[in-house]
Every structure is written in C-alpha cells, then in structure tokens.
Amino acid sequence: MRVYTSQATIATGSLDSRLTEYQPYWAVRAELLAKIGANDEARYSYEIAIGLERDAAVRRFLQRRQSALVR
C-alpha cells in the first residue's frame, strides 16, 4: 500500500519546496500522470523536467516521451 500512497502524492502535486528544482521528481511525476491518462499535466511536468535537465541525451529522451503523449 505504501507504493500507491507515494504515487498518489506525486500525482496529486503535494510538493515539498525542495523538489521544485529536482529533475527526477518531475520526470517521475510526468510518467505517473501519463499512466493514469492525465496527459496535459504529464506534458507540463515533462516540460519542467526537460528544462531542469543538463544532459542533452536525457533531454532528448524526455522530449520523446513527451511527444508520445496523446493529445
């Protein structure tokens, strides 16, 4: 049950201020939102994750994931 609680917290946006600039948070949040069909929110989270990422290869990966979302 603990896993579901953690996923729900990430997906609902209960955000600790320390996470606002932590790229992995936004990438995981985007993935979880995409899995539940919240594509607009997932797209937004991917955008933040892409902006925070320094590695070009990871940015491209995140951009491909973002592009794959159904509009």
Side-chain angles (χ1 to χ4, degrees):
M1 188 65 146
R2 183 169 286 176
V3 171
Y4 297 116
T5 302
S6 297
Q7 289 176 344
T9 299
I10 289 171
T12 60
S14 300
L15 183 61
D16 183 319
S17 63
R18 295 173 291 182
L19 296 176
T20 59
E21 294 188 25
Y22 186 59
Q23 183 275 346
Y25 166 79
W26 292 102
V28 169
R29 184 177 192 274
E31 287 292 318
L32 293 174
L33 287 166
K35 285 184 186 290
I36 64 170
N39 291 343
D40 290 337
E41 293 90 345
R43 203 170 283 105
Y44 173 75
S45 293
Y46 274 125
E47 197 63 38
I48 294 172
I50 291 163
L52 292 172
E53 183 54 54
R54 294 180 184 171
D55 186 311
V58 175
R59 276 196 311 272
R60 285 191 302 273
F61 170 79
L62 293 170
Q63 289 167 335
R64 283 192 304 271
R65 299 294 291 177
Q66 183 185 42
S67 295
L69 293 172
V70 177
R71 291 201 179 250

